[in-house]
Amino acid sequence: MKKAVIYARVSSGRQEKEGFSIPAQIEFLGKYAKENNFIVEKMFVESETAKKAGRKQFNKMLAFITENNIDAILAEKTDRVYRNLKDYLTLDEFKHLEVHLVKENMIISEHASSHVKFMHGIKVLMAKNYIDNLSEEVKKGKNKKAQLGYYPQQAPVGYINAGSIEGKRVIVPDPNKSAYVKRLFELYATGVYSVEELRKKLYNEGFNHKGRMYSKPKMLYILHDCFYIGKFIYNGAIYDGKHEPLIDVELFNKVQKLFNQSKARTHDIEFTYAGLIKCGHCGCQLTAELKKGKYVYYHCTGKRGGDCKKDWVREEKLDKVFLDLIKKIPNPDSGLFDMIRKGIKETRKLKNEYEETSTEAIQKQIEILKRRIDNLYADKLDGKITEEFWKEKHNLWYSERDELLEKLKGFNSAARTFDEGTNLLENFCKHAPQAYLQACPKVKQQILKMIGSNFYYKDGKLSVVLNSVFDLLLKVPYDKLIGTDEARTRDLLRDRQTL
């Protein structure tokens, strides 16, 4: 007998008070469990809306499943379990788990029919695509700030975030610590002191973090950071910052020379597979180099040390490997496209609900922060708080507000990218090889991330873990995916055996 949990949910408090929905679900699912030899270990009842990811009972259920090796979740139907995009991704990580949607006569598991797996795979793929895009759009906003010279993260030691101007973070020297940072560079440049000695010396002089001595790695990081000469590094690129330098370039270079550092070369070329493929020997990322002004080669960065072979491979060879993989994807007819479109429509509905609820929550948080900032200033004017306390909280809350505003912008951009992604999925399935050949480096990466993950290159061979949708397209006969009468009968028999 398999162990299971029952998950019952009502969509509003009113339904719970009326007292018919939850009891009916529990009775229905309890009967199903008894008929199919399930031991119900626990029941989880949710009365709040499921549009928002992170429901209390839902999270408790996942923790219980992990701790007690539960085999199955029993739920009435799809919208009782999945009501936002993150839920698809969360439950998809439980590979051993069966999700029984009893009223729909559907079981989502490793042993499900090809048709069910394919439809579920489309939704998981599009959900992951959207969540990834949302994260990328927030990063894009930070990249734009960086290009304008505004450091989009927390100020380093020796500086403080002093609120924002026109939505851009303003970073100024910290009146309490900037002098210590200058002294650190000056003393190290003499060649007399080691980093360990300076760490202790400056601590005794008052340089500390919340009363504790700065660690040696932190001191080394400060001495290597170009932020202190008016520049900064963000996402691997160097920018000229708007902030005031603490030390001059000559002093900085003298310190770097003592560390015997060499400057890294930069380029403006967009390499197709940069950041996508890892070395099969040591797991480091493959980096790209331009040879003779026209040939692109990829090789292991070797950052983890050890005895790595560091295979070199031409970009054209990788193009051919990926194209050969893509050519194996069958050219489907309208039957398969109907399934893809259905999956996209259902995912779009979930996306809209997720955006609506998340946007509302973010706007509430922004309003709370606005009131806090206003009240804080009033307390400062009334002399209830010190200037130092006002500055600390003012800067903190403005930074939090800026982050929330970036998230709101990210939703709008991610929605557009999601539409582009759904269109890309449909067109790609129609004309896969041509779409890949004609794509620019950015779109090629989008296509490959849509197809699979865990790209590794080793001894002249490339390996990839295909996403479930494309794994099925390449391995499962077409009639089983679209569900001909004969194939549907076999699937139903398999489902019945599983039930």
Side-chain angles (χ1 to χ4, degrees):
M1 295 181 72
K2 291 184 178 181
K3 296 192 292 184
V5 295
I6 285 177
Y7 182 72
R9 186 187 66 79
V10 289
S11 58
S12 67
R14 181 180 59 82
Q15 282 189 353
E16 183 185 23
K17 288 175 183 177
E18 289 173 357
F20 64 88
S21 182
I22 290 292
Q25 289 180 56
I26 291 174
E27 183 182 356
F28 176 68
L29 295 171
K31 184 180 178 183
Y32 174 85
K34 187 176 181 180
E35 290 174 351
N36 292 277
N37 295 321
F38 280 110
I39 300 173
V40 177
E41 296 287 336
K42 197 166 184 178
M43 291 186 290
F44 295 88
V45 175
E46 200 91 58
S47 60
E48 57 188 284
T49 177
K51 289 182 182 179
K52 181 180 178 182
R55 292 164 274 162
K56 292 179 182 178
Q57 292 300 315
F58 184 80
N59 287 340
K60 286 181 180 179
M61 177 181 70
L62 296 182
F64 184 82
I65 287 170
T66 304
E67 293 168 3
N68 297 275
N69 296 317
I70 299 299
D71 300 299
I73 296 174
L74 309 183
E76 190 181 48
K77 51 185 180 177
T78 302
D79 63 7
R80 295 299 176 199
V81 183
Y82 303 105
R83 285 295 303 276
N84 60 72
L85 300 175
K86 286 189 177 180
D87 289 348
Y88 273 98
L89 302 181
T90 301
L91 286 180
D92 191 58
E93 291 176 1
F94 290 80
K95 300 302 180 185
H96 73 285
L97 190 67
E98 297 177 355
V99 180
H100 290 243
L101 307 172
V102 181
K103 277 195 173 179
E104 296 168 358
N105 192 29
M106 183 182 293
I107 302 171
I108 298 169
S109 73
E110 292 179 321
H111 308 293
S113 67
S114 303
H115 177 87
V116 170
K117 279 185 177 179
F118 186 76
M119 287 300 298
H120 180 67
I122 288 173
K123 294 171 186 176
V124 171
L125 174 64
M126 298 313 299
K128 186 177 186 305
N129 178 259
Y130 175 75
I131 297 298
D132 288 347
N133 284 337
L134 186 58
S135 175
E136 287 175 9
E137 290 302 330
V138 173
K139 290 177 183 176
K140 281 181 185 178
K142 291 185 176 182
N143 282 332
K144 287 178 183 177
K145 286 184 178 180
Q147 290 166 8
L148 294 171
Y150 296 96
Y151 189 55
Q153 293 181 319
Q154 191 67 27
V157 178
Y159 290 91
I160 56 172
N161 294 91
S164 62
I165 298 176
E166 296 180 353
K168 309 295 189 300
R169 290 192 179 202
V170 178
I171 292 177
V172 298
D174 185 341
N176 299 317
K177 293 186 178 181
S178 57
Y180 289 111
V181 173
K182 291 178 184 178
R183 184 159 166 74
L184 172 63
F185 275 92
E186 289 167 354
L187 290 174
Y188 189 83
T190 64
V192 176
Y193 300 95
S194 69
V195 174
E196 184 62 32
E197 288 171 336
L198 286 176
R199 176 173 168 249
K200 295 175 182 176
K201 179 178 177 61
L202 292 176
Y203 175 73
N204 291 331
E205 293 178 6
F207 186 45
N208 62 76
H209 177 64
K210 296 181 179 179
R212 296 192 299 271
M213 189 187 303
Y214 280 105
S215 66
K216 184 178 178 180
K218 186 65 177 179
M219 300 289 272
L220 285 167
Y221 186 86
I222 292 172
L223 288 168
H224 288 312
D225 195 349
C226 64
F227 196 94
Y228 300 103
I229 57 172
K231 299 179 181 292
F232 63 86
I233 299 173
Y234 184 70
N235 279 350
I238 300 176
Y239 299 95
D240 291 319
K242 299 284 188 182
H243 59 279
E244 176 188 336
L246 288 186
I247 61 171
D248 58 48
V249 177
E250 185 179 354
L251 177 59
F252 183 79
N253 288 339
K254 189 175 181 180
V255 169
Q256 305 318 303
K257 190 175 181 180
L258 288 172
F259 282 116
N260 196 26
Q261 274 197 337
S262 60
K263 292 184 179 180
R265 293 192 303 170
T266 59
H267 51 73
D268 298 323
I269 299 171
E270 189 177 10
F271 296 121
T272 303
Y273 305 113
L276 184 73
I277 306 172
K278 292 183 179 180
C279 172
H281 294 288
C282 68
C284 292
Q285 291 281 352
L286 294 193
T287 188
E289 286 188 24
L290 188 66
K291 300 289 187 180
K292 297 182 180 180
K294 58 180 178 179
Y295 302 112
V296 177
Y297 284 87
Y298 292 83
H299 67 90
C300 176
T301 58
K303 287 185 176 180
R304 296 181 183 174
D307 187 23
C308 181
K309 293 184 178 181
K310 292 189 179 181
D311 293 334
W312 287 72
V313 57
R314 281 273 297 271
E315 187 167 89
E316 289 84 354
K317 183 174 180 180
L318 293 175
D319 281 335
K320 185 179 183 305
V321 171
F322 284 120
L323 191 60
D324 288 344
L325 172 66
I326 288 166
K327 284 179 178 177
K328 295 177 183 178
I329 296 173
N331 184 20
D333 63 13
S334 59
L336 190 52
F337 279 120
D338 287 342
M339 293 172 62
I340 292 173
R341 291 189 186 103
K342 182 182 177 183
I344 289 172
K345 284 180 181 177
E346 292 178 6
T347 310
R348 180 181 294 279
K349 181 182 177 183
L350 294 169
K351 175 191 75 71
N352 292 340
E353 291 177 342
Y354 178 71
E355 285 177 351
E356 181 184 340
T357 308
S358 298
T359 300
E360 183 182 343
I362 289 173
Q363 287 171 338
K364 285 181 180 178
Q365 290 179 58
I366 290 173
E367 285 299 315
I368 290 170
L369 286 170
K370 184 177 180 298
R371 287 196 297 271
R372 283 182 182 175
I373 292 168
D374 291 341
N375 293 336
L376 187 76
Y377 190 73
D379 287 345
K380 183 178 87 77
L381 292 177
D382 293 339
K384 294 179 180 178
I385 58 174
T386 64
E387 183 81 13
E388 185 180 355
F389 183 80
W390 173 77
K391 279 185 179 179
E392 179 187 345
K393 292 299 182 184
H394 178 269
N395 295 339
L396 174 65
W397 291 338
Y398 258 108
S399 296
E400 289 179 5
R401 192 202 66 166
D402 291 346
E403 291 286 347
L404 293 170
L405 289 171
E406 284 298 329
K407 285 184 180 180
L408 282 180
K409 292 179 185 176
F411 278 116
N412 294 329
S413 300
R416 288 195 298 271
T417 308
F418 179 83
D419 291 340
E420 293 169 3
T422 55
N423 190 53
L424 175 64
L425 174 62
E426 186 175 344
N427 290 333
F428 176 70
C429 288
K430 286 181 182 177
H431 313 289
Q434 298 91 325
Y436 189 76
L437 281 172
Q438 295 169 9
C440 64
K442 180 183 176 181
V443 174
K444 280 186 177 180
Q445 281 225 7
Q446 278 184 292
I447 290 172
L448 293 175
K449 287 178 181 178
M450 184 171 64
I451 291 175
S453 60
N454 295 336
F455 298 91
Y456 282 91
Y457 185 79
K458 181 179 181 181
D459 298 331
K461 294 181 180 179
L462 187 79
S463 64
V464 56
V465 176
L466 294 174
N467 288 330
S468 57
V469 172
F470 291 95
D471 190 48
L472 285 164
L473 279 174
L474 292 175
K475 295 179 180 178
V476 178
Y478 175 72
D479 64 337
K480 291 185 72 176
L481 286 179
I482 63 169
T484 60
D485 290 340
E486 183 182 350
R488 282 189 187 281
T489 302
R490 289 199 302 270
D491 286 345
L492 286 171
L493 286 171
R494 178 185 296 174
D495 286 344
R496 193 169 187 82
Q497 284 180 332
T498 306
L499 291 171

